[in-house]
Amino acid sequence: MDFKDIIENDRESRKKEEFEGTFLEYLQLVKNNPDIVKLAHKRMYDIIINKGYKVLKPEDNPRIKKLYGNEPIKRYNFFKNEFFGIDRVLMKLVNYFHSAAMKGEESRQVLYLVGPVGAGKSSLVDSIKKALETAESIYSLKGCPIREEPLHLIPKHLRTEFEKKLGVKIEGDLCPVCKYRLKHQYDGKYENFPVVTTDFSIRSRKGIGVVPPVDPNNQDTSVLTGSVDISKMDMYPEDDPRIFSLNGAFNVGNRGIVEFIEVFKNDVEYLHTIITATQEKSVPSPGKGSMIYFDGIILAHSNESEWNKFKSDHTNEAILDRIVKIEVPYCMELNEEVKIYKKILGKSQFDAHIAPHTLEIAAIFAILSRLSPSNKVDPMTKLKIYNGEDIVEKGSTKKIDYSELKEEAGMREGMSGISTRFIIKALDSALSNSEYNCINPISVIDILVKSVKDLDIADDDKKRYLTFLNDTIRKEYNKILEKEVTRAFIQSFREQAESLFDNYLDHAEAYVNRNKIKDRSTGEELEPDETFMRSIEEHIGISESSAKGFRTDVTSYMFYVIRNGGKIDYTSYEPLKEAIEKKLTTSVRELSRIITKSKVRNKDQAEKYNSMVEEMKANGYCDHCCDVILKYAANNLWKDWCYGYFQRIWWKPASW
């Protein structure tokens, strides 16, 4: 199909979707499908729900139970690829639309999003506005400046009868312009009034009105409700609808959305129109015209400081009483924060390589800055708990209640700290300055340190952020990197790991069941080898007193996996896997350190080193970041050992 065919086919399909007919023809359409008369809130709710959703039940999802207790969580497909780590916020948002769709009190309330800069308020509003652009076309009176519902033509004394026949509820009145046209153009015969389909558009201001903050000295309510065309005042009386220019935000946003950006930067008198628009569902017409019916979603957002200032003034109670406030905090889950960065970077044109753990390290910094201090745990432990991770100490899971930490932190947690926007700007800077078209955790930490130093914030906050970067995060990354390097190196020892695992499992099972174990070579029955098991367990801090419980846990878990049709290997049970790897690492660490540090390698060392590099490349590293990471590892991970090792070589006496 060539370009001309595509264009013509699209034009033809659009023509088929368009409708133009009389009001009588429209009534038949409504009778066949009453859903086309839905109001704005119902339309938005249906758009969200029709995409589908998934209910995550705590009893079926351990992570959900850790983070949300016994509260089931709904994840809406409408938001799933755009918003992460704010499930409760999205549930509140959808609940608002649900209640408003049923014409509850929320249908007469402003939806107000408040939160710190860069938390996603504007993105949420944009997603709702863009969704409206994809909505099915609506029917409106042809030539109506506010694209109103055609059923407004029906006189009030006939509405009850029409409602029964059509199966709909009719609310609203004709705007002054259409009322004038009905009388003078159609002689009051509303059955002949033409009806057309129309869609929603942000750029064309069709069903989506936007009110930016206005200088208090230059505020003009015509931005909200339209104006009087002065050039026509000589021709018509001042209350004649023909002089009205109904192009205000409430006129434009009728049957759709009116967005107030940084709403409380406007003077309060400027916001009084909101009161009538919500409570009475009508707004003033320009000049001395009558009130105009308004059906639309009023969506406002601002930062928290402006909200606090506005609500502290008791004279604003009338507006405050008409607001449904939803707080939009920063994301507090590490895995979800990383997804945000991937989404934003995925929309950019940067094609540089990003080394493993780079975005994770940036996300750790962002979330550490947002956490409230705790008397129960250190910041890194708290971050991991908020991420739904188990905290394992000495081979057993440490019980730390998520809800207790949230209660200790209070409602303010997540409403301050480093914004996602700040992190993305730092990543952009690292990507654009990358000499080798590759960024890694080390380069990102360096760029974050530089960015924080340039921040205009309180000295205490700056000092705390730099401590996170130079101490807490570097230590955490060193742990991650040590595992990464040694595991890459240990791949050539996989066979040994499986052998250790099989032997340990045999001895642990015999120990737990109080049986003897048969030697595979001689067939001799022997007691379980306590020394062998302890040589593995001690690597993860299992004490002698807790060894029995650990062995019981291991054998029970393995039996559970097999019983459910799974396969077991040395990686099946995380604590045992860690213990086996640490035991192997202990035996190979010396060689690992030498080949990581050494510039001149013998044949065997070179093979081991190359094998390690290939394994790291298979895990997502490129040649450049492999080189950078391994040099960093040699200089930072095993510093004490390397110093002693090379000291012995360099200072060896001549007599040796």
Side-chain angles (χ1 to χ4, degrees):
M1 186 180 292
D2 61 21
F3 296 124
K4 185 178 180 182
D5 290 337
I6 294 171
I7 293 168
E8 289 180 349
N9 286 344
D10 175 67
R11 186 176 293 127
E12 193 63 33
S13 65
R14 287 180 177 274
K15 281 183 181 177
K16 289 178 181 177
E17 293 171 4
E18 291 175 358
F19 168 87
E20 181 167 350
T22 65
F23 180 61
L24 273 178
E25 292 172 302
Y26 174 69
L27 288 174
Q28 192 58 49
L29 291 176
V30 175
K31 186 173 178 60
N32 296 336
N33 180 18
D35 202 44
I36 64 175
V37 184
K38 68 180 74 170
L39 300 180
H41 291 92
K42 178 73 164 66
R43 182 177 299 107
M44 193 66 241
Y45 178 70
D46 286 349
I47 290 172
I48 295 172
I49 293 300
N50 289 342
K51 294 281 187 181
Y53 61 89
K54 184 178 182 181
V55 179
L56 303 177
K57 297 180 180 178
E59 57 267 28
D60 301 330
N61 193 315
R63 188 172 187 275
I64 292 297
K65 188 167 182 64
K66 283 178 197 170
L67 298 180
Y68 301 102
N70 294 320
E71 178 188 0
I73 295 297
K74 283 185 179 179
R75 290 217 170 126
Y76 301 94
N77 295 337
F78 179 85
F79 300 109
K80 74 174 184 179
N81 295 322
E82 292 292 324
F83 300 97
F84 307 96
I86 54 170
D87 288 322
R88 281 199 174 109
V89 172
L90 299 177
M91 286 170 62
K92 288 178 182 177
L93 189 72
V94 178
N95 285 343
Y96 163 84
F97 284 120
H98 189 195
S99 178
M102 295 188 292
K103 301 184 181 179
E105 181 58 27
E106 278 83 349
S107 64
R108 298 175 182 274
Q109 298 270 304
V110 176
L111 176 60
Y112 170 63
L113 306 180
V114 59
V117 294
K121 303 182 298 296
S122 298
S123 297
L124 270 173
V125 175
D126 286 344
S127 71
I128 291 170
K129 291 193 297 185
K130 287 174 183 175
L132 258 188
E133 289 191 306
T134 66
E136 292 181 357
S137 298
I138 59 172
Y139 295 85
S140 69
L141 296 177
K142 186 176 182 180
C144 177
I146 65 170
R147 307 185 326 149
E148 66 184 310
E149 166 59 53
L151 293 181
H152 292 177
L153 288 166
I154 299 174
K156 292 203 172 173
H157 66 277
L158 288 177
R159 286 192 177 183
T160 302
E161 185 177 350
F162 272 85
E163 285 174 349
K164 288 178 182 178
K165 288 183 178 294
L166 297 174
V168 299
K169 178 71 176 173
I170 303 170
E171 69 171 63
D173 300 301
L174 277 179
C175 73
V177 174
C178 289
K179 198 177 291 183
Y180 180 91
R181 290 174 60 210
L182 174 62
K183 182 178 179 180
H184 294 89
Q185 290 183 26
Y186 300 101
D187 295 324
K189 295 179 179 179
Y190 51 88
E191 67 272 22
N192 296 329
F193 209 113
V195 174
V196 294
T197 50
T198 180
D199 55 12
F200 294 90
S201 172
I202 297 171
R203 288 192 175 186
S204 301
R205 298 185 82 226
K206 291 162 66 177
I208 301 171
V210 179
V211 184
V214 181
D215 182 354
N217 297 320
N218 297 314
Q219 284 183 353
D220 183 355
T221 54
S222 65
V223 173
L224 303 178
T225 59
S227 59
V228 171
D229 188 343
I230 299 175
S231 65
K232 294 179 180 179
M233 290 190 71
D234 290 340
M235 296 183 284
Y236 310 112
E238 60 180 334
D239 60 346
D240 193 310
R242 287 174 290 181
I243 69 170
F244 296 164
S245 293
L246 298 182
N247 55 6
F250 281 106
N251 311 135
V252 168
N254 186 48
R255 305 186 74 187
I257 290 174
V258 178
E259 176 194 7
F260 282 82
I261 302 172
E262 301 293 346
V263 58
F264 296 125
K265 284 184 178 175
N266 294 301
D267 197 57
V268 66
E269 282 76 16
Y270 188 68
L271 302 177
H272 283 167
T273 308
I274 291 177
I275 297 176
T276 58
T278 53
Q279 204 60 33
E280 300 173 26
K281 298 200 78 171
S282 60
V283 294
S285 60
K288 296 183 178 180
S290 60
M291 298 294 282
I292 300 174
Y293 174 77
F294 171 75
D295 163 39
I297 301 161
I298 304 177
L299 240 175
H301 52 95
S302 75
N303 297 326
E304 197 178 20
S305 58
E306 289 158 4
W307 163 254
N308 290 333
K309 181 180 177 182
F310 185 82
K311 73 174 184 178
S312 65
D313 188 343
H314 69 91
T315 60
N316 297 330
E317 288 176 355
I319 296 176
L320 289 169
D321 192 48
R322 291 165 173 82
I323 288 176
V324 172
K325 184 183 77 147
I326 297 179
E327 291 186 346
V328 184
Y330 289 128
C331 173
M332 302 298 284
E333 296 176 39
L334 177 62
N335 292 348
E336 301 300 300
E337 182 78 4
V338 171
K339 289 178 185 176
I340 297 173
Y341 303 163
K342 286 181 178 178
K343 178 199 76 172
I344 297 172
L345 291 173
K347 293 179 179 179
S348 71
Q349 294 185 353
F350 287 112
D351 60 354
H353 175 256
I354 300 177
H357 307 294
T358 302
L359 301 184
E360 180 184 346
I361 289 301
I364 287 174
F365 171 57
I367 293 174
L368 284 175
S369 75
R370 301 165 186 172
L371 291 172
S372 298
S374 172
N375 295 320
K376 301 176 186 292
V377 291
D378 63 87
M380 269 310 304
T381 301
K382 186 174 183 180
L383 177 146
K384 291 174 182 178
I385 293 168
Y386 276 25
N387 196 40
E389 299 176 29
D390 288 327
I391 306 301
V392 179
E393 289 184 5
K394 297 183 178 180
S396 60
T397 302
K398 189 175 180 182
K399 300 294 182 185
I400 305 172
D401 191 72
Y402 170 88
S403 58
E404 286 183 10
L405 292 178
K406 291 297 287 183
E407 187 176 340
E408 178 193 30
M411 299 299 292
R412 287 280 311 142
E413 189 171 57
M415 298 295 280
S416 62
I418 291 294
S419 72
T420 300
R421 192 176 292 130
F422 176 89
I423 298 292
I424 292 298
K425 285 194 288 186
L427 291 173
D428 286 349
S429 178
L431 286 163
S432 59
N433 293 327
S434 172
E435 185 179 349
Y436 296 92
N437 205 33
C438 167
I439 63 170
N440 56 66
I442 300 157
S443 63
V444 164
I445 290 174
D446 290 342
I447 201 75
L448 285 172
V449 168
K450 183 180 177 183
S451 299
V452 167
K453 286 180 178 178
D454 292 338
L455 267 180
D456 186 16
I457 55 174
D459 289 342
D460 287 348
D461 287 336
K462 187 175 290 190
K463 184 178 179 182
R464 184 166 62 94
Y465 294 166
L466 290 173
T467 300
F468 283 146
L469 288 166
N470 293 321
D471 184 48
T472 310
I473 291 172
R474 285 193 186 272
K475 285 178 180 176
E476 184 63 23
Y477 178 60
N478 287 352
K479 290 178 189 175
I480 294 170
L481 184 56
E482 182 170 10
K483 285 183 180 180
E484 195 99 329
V485 173
T486 51
R487 284 179 185 178
F489 185 81
I490 218 167
Q491 284 305 304
S492 54
F493 295 87
R494 174 87 189 206
E495 210 172 297
Q496 287 176 249
E498 294 293 355
S499 177
L500 277 174
F501 169 74
D502 291 338
N503 285 332
Y504 179 87
L505 203 56
D506 288 344
H507 286 272
E509 188 177 2
Y511 174 86
V512 170
N513 296 325
R514 298 182 181 180
N515 294 332
K516 291 191 175 182
I517 189 168
K518 185 178 285 188
D519 188 285
R520 293 180 180 179
S521 302
T522 66
E524 182 184 1
E525 289 193 338
L526 304 170
E527 293 293 332
D529 191 339
E530 186 82 23
T531 305
F532 166 69
M533 288 187 286
R534 292 295 301 136
S535 73
I536 292 176
E537 294 160 353
E538 65 187 7
H539 286 288
I540 52 171
I542 303 291
S543 64
E544 286 192 34
S545 59
S546 59
K548 181 179 179 181
F550 179 75
R551 294 164 195 170
T552 302
D553 289 345
V554 170
T555 53
S556 298
Y557 181 79
M558 297 303 170
F559 178 70
Y560 167 79
V561 172
I562 294 170
R563 188 177 59 192
N564 285 278
K567 292 183 179 180
I568 60 171
D569 59 20
Y570 96 93
T571 65
S572 297
Y573 189 65
E574 184 61 34
L576 180 57
K577 170 178 173 279
E578 184 181 351
I580 289 172
E581 287 184 345
K582 283 189 174 180
K583 179 173 175 63
L584 278 175
T585 301
T586 302
S587 61
V588 301
R589 181 171 288 168
E590 192 164 309
L591 180 57
S592 170
R593 292 167 179 171
I594 293 171
I595 67 171
T596 304
K597 185 80 175 175
S598 178
K599 292 181 180 178
V600 181
R601 305 180 181 93
N602 60 35
K603 184 179 178 182
D604 182 58
Q605 289 175 340
E607 286 178 1
K608 296 289 186 185
Y609 180 83
N610 291 336
S611 173
M612 177 175 66
V613 169
E614 289 305 313
E615 183 63 28
M616 291 185 72
K617 285 166 71 174
N619 292 333
Y621 292 89
C622 69
D623 287 317
H624 170 68
C625 61
C626 245
D627 184 51
V628 172
I629 294 297
L630 291 176
K631 283 178 181 175
Y632 175 87
N635 291 324
N636 293 274
L637 298 190
W638 304 300
K639 208 176 284 183
D640 295 340
W641 184 92
C642 290
Y643 175 78
Y645 175 79
F646 288 109
Q647 187 182 56
R648 290 197 298 275
I649 294 175
W650 294 333
W651 293 356
K652 188 187 295 182
S655 60
W656 288 11

